[in-house]
Amino acid sequence: SQTIHQWPATLVQPVGSPLSLECTVEGTSNPNLYWYRQAAGRGLQLLFYSVGIGQISSEVPQNLSASRPQDRQFILSSKKLLLSDSGFYLCAWSVGGTGEQYFGPGTRLTVT
Amino acid sequence: RKEVEQDPGPFNVPEGATVAFNCTYSNSASQSFFWYRQDCRKEPKLLMSVYSSGNEDGRFTAQLNRASQYISLLIRDSKLSDSATYLCVVNFRNDYKLSFGAGTTVTVRA
């Protein structure tokens, strides 16, 4: 069966500090991978998605970036965090474009 | 106008009651539809897909009305464990990108 891991679970970072969140998927090959952010009381906002190694599509221009160095690894980064980057960051995977996506446990980021 | 809109609730219902709520979407060319469930401070999980003819999964019934551009979810015989936020999700182009509503909160009380 497939599993998806994210770490860390919670993170408190000062404004201007860098960020690196990692997501890995097990039990499947060549998954589509996604990064979402959920602000308090808001819907999920798609940040990035990837359909293959080294291929990244950005949905929202901001100070975040993503990379996919391996088939089942997806990394979200920032060089300098803003207060507005606080939120619940979720990684997800899917097979093809079926619309059924499976989420990791998420990282709750607070920028102070 | 938001792509997917939901009544945020909360819907407070007693155990055993039936609760139903809708979601509207803006793009008439939308291809596929889903309900996800999100528990407090947890990740969303797929509850069920929504098919054109409507479908049931146990106590849950989903309906799609393309003419009026809404989908609905009905929960029968509510359990305490049904307390959650229900996210309406639409795939506009049958591609990789989903649009999520902000969710409808349901609280089932003993």
Side-chain angles (χ1 to χ4, degrees):
Chain A
S1 64
Q2 300 86 2
T3 56
I4 178 169
H5 304 278
Q6 277 187 254
W7 61 91
T10 60
L11 193 58
V12 180
Q13 292 282 99
V15 168
S17 63
L19 174 74
S20 181
L21 302 181
E22 188 164 342
C23 167
T24 58
V25 181
E26 296 177 357
T28 187
S29 296
N30 197 30
N32 299 323
L33 296 173
Y34 310 82
W35 278 111
Y36 290 89
R37 179 171 61 203
Q38 187 176 36
R42 306 280 297 275
L44 272 70
Q45 178 187 34
L46 180 63
L47 302 175
F48 302 94
Y49 72 95
S50 170
V51 299
I53 295 174
Q55 187 281 331
I56 306 294
S57 295
S58 174
E59 289 296 301
V60 183
Q62 53 204 327
N63 67 322
L64 300 173
S65 62
S67 62
R68 185 171 177 171
Q70 300 181 45
D71 181 44
R72 290 170 288 178
Q73 183 185 29
F74 206 21
I75 297 171
L76 182 71
S77 304
S78 174
K79 292 182 180 178
K80 288 187 177 181
L81 284 169
L82 307 172
L83 284 174
S84 57
D85 291 324
S86 294
F88 190 34
Y89 287 81
L90 291 152
C91 180
W93 70 273
S94 72
V95 176
T98 63
E100 297 177 7
Q101 295 182 8
Y102 302 92
F103 288 82
T107 295
R108 201 161 296 276
L109 172 67
T110 302
V111 182
T112 61
Chain B
R1 183 181 174 187
K2 293 181 182 177
E3 293 179 329
V4 180
E5 295 204 60
Q6 295 184 249
D7 180 347
F11 287 75
N12 295 307
V13 300
E15 267 188 298
T18 295
V19 59
F21 42 89
N22 294 340
C23 152
T24 58
Y25 58 93
S26 60
N27 190 332
S28 60
S30 297
Q31 299 291 324
S32 50
F33 309 87
F34 308 87
W35 284 104
Y36 279 67
R37 170 195 169 126
Q38 186 173 24
D39 293 322
C40 187
R41 300 180 69 82
K42 297 290 189 179
E43 74 274 20
K45 294 183 179 179
L46 178 65
L47 178 66
M48 59 195 299
S49 302
V50 185
Y51 302 123
S52 295
S53 56
N55 49 298
E56 282 188 14
D57 184 358
R59 298 180 293 106
F60 297 83
T61 300
Q63 296 281 351
L64 168 63
N65 186 317
R66 284 193 182 270
S68 300
Q69 295 181 214
Y70 74 86
I71 67 174
S72 64
L73 182 67
L74 182 146
I75 307 173
R76 286 187 302 276
D77 188 23
S78 298
K79 311 292 184 190
L80 293 175
S81 57
D82 294 333
S83 297
T85 297
Y86 291 86
L87 307 179
C88 174
V89 182
V90 177
N91 187 327
F92 292 117
R93 295 182 290 268
N94 232 24
D95 63 5
Y96 311 104
K97 291 181 266 189
L98 302 181
S99 292
F100 286 77
T104 296
T105 297
V106 172
T107 301
V108 181
R109 61 183 188 276

